[in-house]
Amino acid sequence: MKRALMIGLVLTLLLTTLGTVAMAAGRHPGSKKDESRKGNFISKLNLTPEQEQKLLEIRQRHAREILPLRQELQKKRLELNRLWEAEKPNATAIERKMIEMVPLQVKMRMKAMTMRDEIRAILTPEQQEQFDAFQNERGHRRRGFHSKGKGPKC
């Protein structure tokens, strides 16, 4: 039982670490690489000046709303790393810290969904189709699949 718990915790830490490494590599929202990809996609929507202004307002509000959540989540990740780096890691304390992180992650996802809905609301039906296609492709890539749909990346 303890072995299974430890394996589960190690796998969870590995996933968390991979996410942190990806963020450090500049593959997180707000990075130059991400912004250039967003910029290219947004320009394909052919937004009106009014839509561009509304989109900017939505993004800025979203950034303000999630900043405290991101900061709190990062703080908890640092605390979790400290727990793992202990001479004798305490599985119970590690599990508790990981459980503390879940509500923050859920709140951030819910805010992202709200932002997506607000963006869709300012788009025409044709733009919504393009937006949805981009979101589906992006979600598919995030789950580790090639853009040609040939299965997981190795």
Side-chain angles (χ1 to χ4, degrees), residues 75-127:
K75 178 182 167 192
K76 293 196 180 298
R77 282 186 180 131
L78 291 171
E79 292 168 359
L80 179 64
N81 287 341
R82 244 183 271 125
L83 291 170
W84 273 105
E85 292 169 355
E87 190 173 315
K88 292 184 179 180
N90 180 334
T92 304
I94 290 170
E95 181 181 12
R96 260 190 263 124
K97 189 57 61 181
M98 293 169 85
I99 290 170
E100 287 177 21
M101 294 167 68
V102 172
L104 294 169
Q105 294 166 333
V106 170
K107 285 179 186 175
M108 287 177 64
R109 286 197 180 196
M110 294 303 296
K111 289 194 178 289
M113 286 174 46
T114 300
M115 180 181 71
R116 218 172 15 253
D117 291 344
E118 290 176 6
I119 291 172
R120 281 188 94 255
I122 67 169
L123 302 176
T124 66
E126 295 82 18
Q127 291 170 328

